[in-house]
């Protein structure tokens, strides 16, 4: 049973370009969470999605960031017009149940570097 | 005030030692509590959930004190492989999980 998969593992973008980060949850998991981790800082919640629905995006910056989890395929975190401050590790987690019940399992992360 | 606060350490302990970490949370409505470990540049991995009555998993013991709003993790007989950052995680009504910044542990031979 494969774990949570994320790709790419490393992504380099120049300022102003777009970054697309993909996350495939564990088999049987329908809940996906995205987190950002800046160097020397803790994980910060960004968004929680179920299939075709955004449940909670309160941690997502209002501009340039969007997320989706289509019926088919992986969840996508999209960052438009990247800036240097977007450089971070982006982790995806999945669970079988949402909210306070589900235990989250993390993918290996995508490390984004904006030049 | 941060949702979850941890002493960042670092804790440097010899093999075989017992070490304890504490974590405090600010919102009394918090419902679920976990400890994760994160190795350098890797993803967090669930270590254990924390139950109201306290729970033990081998060398690891977790305690929850709702009145004082803190969670603890005790590691007995430390191994070199225990070296990592330990993350305290809290969830309250809703969908957000709040992560502490982590406590760094290095076990020295």
């Amino acid at each position: 049973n494969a774990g949570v998969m994320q790709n790419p593992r490393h992504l380099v973008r120049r300022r102003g370009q777009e970054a697309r980060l993909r996350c495939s949850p564990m088999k049987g998991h329908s809940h996906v969470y995205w987190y950002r981790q800046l160097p020397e800082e803790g994980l910060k919640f960004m968004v929680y999605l179920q299939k075709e629905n955004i449940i909670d995006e309160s941690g997502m910056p209002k501009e340039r960031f969007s997320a989706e989890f289509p019926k088919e395929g992986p969840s996508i975190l999209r960052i438009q017009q990247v800036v240097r401050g977007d450089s971070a590790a982006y982790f995806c987690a999945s669970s079988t149940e949402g909210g306070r019940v589900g235990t989250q399992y993390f993918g290996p992360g995508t490390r984004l570097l904006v030049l | 005030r941060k949702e979850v606060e941890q002493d960042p350490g670092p804790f440097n302990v010899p093999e075989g030692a017992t070490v304890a970490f504490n974590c405090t949370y600010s919102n009394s409505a918090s419902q679920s509590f976990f400890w994760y470990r994160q190795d350098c540049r890797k993803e967090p991995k669930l270590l254990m959930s924390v139950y109201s009555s306290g729970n033990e998993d081998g060398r690891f013991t977790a305690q929850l004190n709702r009145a004082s709003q803190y969670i603890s993790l005790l590691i007995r007989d430390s191994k070199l492989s225990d070296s990592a950052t330990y993350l305290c995680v809290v969830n309250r009504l809703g969908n957000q999980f709040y992560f502490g910044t982590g406590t760094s542990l290095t076990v020295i031979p």
Side-chain angles (χ1 to χ4, degrees):
Chain A
N1 187 12
V4 179
M5 294 191 288
Q6 289 186 250
N7 67 82
R9 295 289 299 275
H10 300 272
L11 183 60
V12 180
R13 285 288 178 266
R14 295 192 181 278
R15 280 180 297 170
Q17 290 184 319
E18 179 179 286
R20 277 182 182 247
L21 288 60
R22 287 176 290 278
C23 169
S24 296
M26 284 179 72
K27 188 176 180 180
H29 287 195
S30 58
H31 300 258
V32 166
Y33 302 77
W34 284 95
Y35 294 85
R36 175 164 64 177
Q37 187 172 34
L38 294 168
E40 309 304 324
E41 292 190 16
L43 285 156
K44 293 287 194 304
F45 168 83
M46 298 181 75
V47 62
Y48 162 44
L49 309 104
Q50 293 181 33
K51 284 284 187 182
E52 299 184 278
N53 286 304
I54 296 175
I55 307 301
D56 182 350
E57 57 181 347
S58 57
M60 195 107 91
K62 293 287 185 278
E63 297 177 351
R64 302 189 297 108
F65 285 73
S66 61
E68 62 176 7
F69 189 14
K71 188 176 179 181
E72 301 291 337
S75 175
I76 307 284
L77 179 67
R78 182 182 177 206
I79 311 173
Q80 295 177 290
Q81 299 174 329
V82 295
V83 300
R84 289 218 173 105
D86 296 333
S87 296
Y90 291 83
F91 289 98
C92 164
S94 73
S95 67
T96 54
E97 299 172 72
R100 63 184 181 89
V101 180
T103 300
Q104 298 185 8
Y105 296 89
F106 282 81
T110 293
R111 279 153 186 82
L112 173 65
L113 175 63
V114 179
L115 301 177
Chain B
R1 187 181 169 189
K2 288 183 180 178
E3 287 276 348
V4 180
E5 299 212 48
Q6 293 182 250
D7 178 350
F11 285 68
N12 299 314
V13 303
E15 268 187 290
T18 295
V19 61
F21 308 136
N22 287 330
C23 161
T24 58
Y25 59 95
S26 60
N27 196 309
S28 59
S30 299
Q31 296 286 332
S32 304
F33 310 90
F34 308 89
W35 283 101
Y36 279 72
R37 70 170 277 169
Q38 186 174 25
D39 294 279
C40 187
R41 300 187 65 75
K42 297 282 185 69
E43 72 273 23
K45 292 186 178 176
L46 178 67
L47 181 64
M48 57 197 304
S49 301
V50 186
Y51 302 120
S52 296
S53 55
N55 48 300
E56 188 174 305
D57 183 1
R59 298 180 294 108
F60 299 85
T61 300
Q63 296 279 352
L64 168 64
N65 185 320
R66 285 190 183 272
S68 302
Q69 294 180 202
Y70 83 77
I71 307 145
S72 65
L73 177 68
L74 183 77
I75 305 176
R76 290 182 300 278
D77 189 23
S78 299
K79 311 289 185 195
L80 296 177
S81 57
D82 294 335
S83 298
T85 297
Y86 290 82
L87 305 173
C88 175
V89 184
V90 169
N91 174 278
R92 53 185 166 92
L93 289 177
N95 307 304
Q96 286 201 35
F97 286 72
Y98 297 92
F99 284 74
T101 51
T103 299
S104 174
L105 170 67
T106 300
V107 180
I108 303 162

